[in-house]
Amino acid sequence: MAKSNAKKLREKLAREGKINPEAKRSEFVFTDMRTRMTKTKKDHLFQFKHKNHHSQDGSDGSFYFAAHF
C-alpha cells in the first residue's frame, strides 16, 4: 500500500529527531468503546409485552372493539 502524506511527514519528523505526533496519542484512540449486544429472547419478548402482537387470529384480549353499524 502507498504511504499517506501524513505518515510520510511523521516519519520525516522522527528522522529529524523531533517529536512524533503519533506518540502523543491517547491509548483510548485504539479501543472500541461501543458495546455490541444482540437482544436475548427475554429482551425480545419484553419489547412486545403490552403491544398485542402475539396473536395470529386477532383474539388477543384487546379491549378495542370496532362494531360496524
Side-chain angles (χ1 to χ4, degrees):
M1 290 180 64
K3 289 183 184 178
S4 68
N5 288 334
K7 187 170 184 176
K8 289 178 187 176
L9 183 62
R10 288 193 303 266
E11 288 176 351
K12 181 181 177 186
L13 289 172
R15 276 196 313 269
E16 293 174 352
K18 297 180 183 173
I19 295 176
N20 187 352
E22 210 170 29
K24 293 185 202 177
R25 287 186 186 163
S26 170
E27 64 271 5
F28 293 105
V29 172
F30 303 106
T31 58
D32 188 11
M33 304 299 275
R34 293 174 293 182
T35 305
R36 295 185 179 99
M37 283 179 48
T38 57
K39 289 187 176 183
T40 61
K41 183 177 180 181
K42 188 174 181 181
D43 291 335
H44 185 70
L45 290 174
F46 186 73
Q47 181 179 5
F48 296 108
K49 185 175 180 181
H50 299 292
K51 294 187 180 178
N52 295 330
H53 288 291
H54 297 295
S55 176
Q56 296 292 331
D57 59 352
S59 62
D60 53 8
S62 177
F63 293 106
Y64 181 72
F65 179 72
H68 299 284
F69 295 103

